[in-house]
Amino acid sequence: EWSTVNANANSSSSPNYTYSDPSDYIDTDTDIYNTTYLQWTTHSFTVIATTLLAILTYTTLWISAATDPGILPPISSPIKSPIPHDGITPIGGPLGYRYCSTCNIFRPPRSKHCNSCNVCVSLFDHHCPWTGNCIGERNHRAFFGFLCCISTLTIVVTLTCVRILMETYHELMWDEIHHGIRGDGNEIHAQNATDVPSSSSSSSSSS
């Protein structure tokens, strides 16, 4: 009889889950359930994507900074440079040759004198303070690649941060709910364990 009672006591003290969700059978005190909140940062896709984008970003940045943007060489002679005549491009106006008194040249259309570099640049776009260089005819593509890479890298990092915050929130909420269920279950098991000796004493008295 005592062996039967001990077996019943051992079976009553063991957890008895009746939840439908398979994840409810996972013990939160074991390493199987406990995951780090920064697990997504070590994911293979995140590591590979951020590494490649960072390398491409720095590469295109240095290419944009080190490449000649298309500087038009100035003429230091006190004599005004001759007027170009190609029969197609007019002189003056937004689509024609324009004279630059600083460089003493007639710069072609879409060219402009940069006040920061003090030179005329062919197909001048702007002077970028991040590269310390003008963006012109020869480094347009590298600068555009830099913009694409850094924009994509920013999106990947932002989405990673948002996912980490969401996973952390859901994991904390799950821990709170699951620990509450486990607490109620332990109270029930403790009550069942205290009821076992009374049933055993009644069986011994009856015998």
Side-chain angles (χ1 to χ4, degrees), residues 90-129:
I91 305 299
L95 300 179
Y97 287 97
R98 304 186 67 179
Y99 179 74
C100 178
S101 58
T102 304
C103 298
N104 191 25
I105 60 172
F106 281 90
R107 59 175 182 260
R110 296 181 59 190
S111 301
K112 187 177 179 181
H113 185 85
C114 178
N115 295 325
S116 300
C117 300
N118 198 27
V119 290
C120 287
V121 179
S122 177
L123 302 180
F124 179 81
D125 186 83
H126 71 285
H127 181 85
C128 180

Side-chain angles (χ1 to χ4, degrees), residues 13-189:
S13 60
S14 61
N16 186 16
Y17 298 102
T18 59
Y19 311 117
S20 58
D21 190 359
S23 60
D24 291 333
Y25 294 90
I26 301 176
D27 189 1
T28 58
D29 297 330
T30 61
D31 295 334
I32 299 176
Y33 176 80
N34 292 331
T35 58
T36 59
Y37 298 143
L38 303 180
Q39 184 178 6
W40 178 245
T41 58
T42 58
H43 195 274
S44 59
F45 171 77
T46 307
V47 174
I48 295 174
T50 52
T51 302
L52 290 178
L53 289 173
I55 293 175
L56 290 175
T57 299
Y58 282 110
T59 302
T60 52
L61 174 63
W62 280 106
I63 292 175
S64 301
T67 303
D68 179 12
I71 297 176
L72 301 174
I75 300 176
S76 59
S77 174
I79 302 175
K80 186 176 181 179
S81 61
I83 300 175
H85 295 283
D86 56 4
I88 300 176
T89 307
I91 305 299
L95 300 179
Y97 287 97
R98 304 186 67 179
Y99 179 74
C100 178
S101 58
T102 304
C103 298
N104 191 25
I105 60 172
F106 281 90
R107 59 175 182 260
R110 296 181 59 190
S111 301
K112 187 177 179 181
H113 185 85
C114 178
N115 295 325
S116 300
C117 300
N118 198 27
V119 290
C120 287
V121 179
S122 177
L123 302 180
F124 179 81
D125 186 83
H126 71 285
H127 181 85
C128 180
W130 305 109
T131 60
N133 194 11
C134 294
I135 306 302
E137 181 180 6
R138 297 181 181 177
N139 59 356
H140 263 150
R141 294 183 179 180
F143 185 75
F144 181 74
F146 165 71
L147 293 180
C148 293
C149 292
I150 196 171
S151 299
T152 309
L153 180 61
T154 304
I155 293 173
V156 172
V157 172
T158 303
L159 292 178
T160 302
C161 294
V162 171
R163 175 158 183 168
I164 290 173
L165 292 176
M166 292 178 63
E167 287 185 354
T168 304
Y169 173 77
H170 289 302
E171 194 166 344
L172 290 175
M173 292 297 295
W174 171 252
D175 286 341
E176 183 178 356
I177 296 173
H178 193 73
H179 281 299
I181 296 174
R182 287 293 304 277
D184 297 338
N186 290 332
E187 292 177 359
I188 295 173
H189 296 321

